[in-house]
């Protein structure tokens, strides 16, 4: 059994710089982002980039997985400190903002890796677990309809993002309608 040695401090910094530059490049240019551009943005040479990420797909997978993990971790933090209904609403706004801001990353992932790639499947699972935990707490508090399922919520938020791409000023209002629709009838 082999164990990976921890990265030296300079190597860890370079990896982080590459990841940040890749997020920006994939968000701005989607699947058209080049590794040379990413290395340039990160202030590293191509060899440094390739030592950490042997190809575009590996880099894209790392960026996407890292972003989804961070979004899910924010959901866990909200669940630990917020009113269940407010925690769910806040996390849905975070998810909405993420999809809007990182649309290029999501498009690149789907085009380069496919929707059935292990990375996409893992990230969808992480999202379902995150929203499922928040949803369950809100349902137990009586704030959300019992029949609502995690996939319902994820699809609704994604639908609002897609429908407001050209009219972002209506996004908050439509997300409010979604949240109102998730509540039990009075």
């Amino acid at each position: 059994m082999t164990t990976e040695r921890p990265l030296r401090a300079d190597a860890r910094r370079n990896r982080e710089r590459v990841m940040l530059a890749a997020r920006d490049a994939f968000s701005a240019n989607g699947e058209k982002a080049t590794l040379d551009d990413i290395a340039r943005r990160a202030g590293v040479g191509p060899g440094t980039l390739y030592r950490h990420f042997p190809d575009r797909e590996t880099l894209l997978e790392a960026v996407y997985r890292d972003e989804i993990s961070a979004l899910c971790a924010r959901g866990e933090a909200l669940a630990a400190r917020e009113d269940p209904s407010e925690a769910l609403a806040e996390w849905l706004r975070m998810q909405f903002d993420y999809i809007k801001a990182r649309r290029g990353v999501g498009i690149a992932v789907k085009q380069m890796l496919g929707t059935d790639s292990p990375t996409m499947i893992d990230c969808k699972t992480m999202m379902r677990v995150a929203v499922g935990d928040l949803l369950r707490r809100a349902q137990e508090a009586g704030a959300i309809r019992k029949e609502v399922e995690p996939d319902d919520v994820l699809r609704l938020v994604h639908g609002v993002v897609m429908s407001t791409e050209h009219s972002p000023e209506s996004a908050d209002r439509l997300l409010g309608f979604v949240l109102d629709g998730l509540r039990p009838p009075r």
Side-chain angles (χ1 to χ4, degrees):
M1 180 167 129
T2 61
T3 57
E4 287 187 34
R5 293 185 338 200
L7 292 175
R8 294 183 333 257
D10 62 327
R12 191 172 47 252
R13 282 190 302 272
N14 284 341
R15 186 180 196 287
E16 289 168 3
R17 288 168 46 197
V18 169
M19 290 281 288
L20 288 171
R23 273 187 198 101
D24 292 343
F26 285 126
S27 291
N29 303 314
E31 75 283 354
K32 294 179 178 119
T34 68
L35 292 180
D36 287 339
D37 179 47
I38 293 168
R40 209 173 11 265
R41 287 175 186 238
V44 301
T48 298
L49 186 145
Y50 284 107
R51 269 192 297 283
H52 292 285
F53 305 100
D55 54 42
R56 284 170 49 92
E57 289 80 12
T58 303
L59 176 56
L60 181 59
E61 285 175 339
V63 167
Y64 190 65
R65 186 179 301 274
D66 188 57
E67 289 187 343
I68 295 301
S69 293
L71 181 61
C72 293
R74 288 193 294 269
E76 289 175 19
L78 283 171
R81 65 179 168 85
E82 296 284 337
D83 164 85
S85 178
E86 284 303 312
L88 177 63
E90 181 62 25
W91 190 79
L92 293 180
R93 285 185 198 97
M94 285 180 190
Q95 180 199 9
F96 182 87
D97 290 342
Y98 168 78
I99 295 170
K100 274 190 342 190
R102 300 292 191 212
R103 182 182 305 268
V105 173
I107 291 169
V109 168
K110 288 177 186 169
Q111 289 180 344
M112 288 173 61
L113 306 176
T115 56
D116 293 333
S117 73
T119 297
M120 287 296 288
I121 292 167
D122 289 348
C123 289
K124 285 177 187 177
T125 299
M126 284 190 278
M127 292 291 285
R128 283 185 191 110
V129 168
V131 76
D133 290 345
L134 290 162
L135 181 61
R136 185 178 51 258
R137 287 183 71 242
Q139 287 170 324
E140 288 169 357
I144 300 293
R145 296 169 179 243
K146 296 286 185 198
E147 69 272 16
V148 176
E149 296 179 9
D151 281 345
D152 299 334
V153 176
L154 294 173
R155 285 184 185 114
L156 287 167
V157 171
H158 191 263
V160 171
V161 171
M162 298 305 290
S163 69
T164 60
E165 183 175 7
H166 300 293
S167 58
E169 69 281 355
S170 62
D172 286 335
R173 186 172 56 87
L174 292 178
L175 191 56
F177 293 155
V178 166
L179 290 167
D180 287 344
L182 295 174
R183 293 186 182 100
R186 297 178 192 234

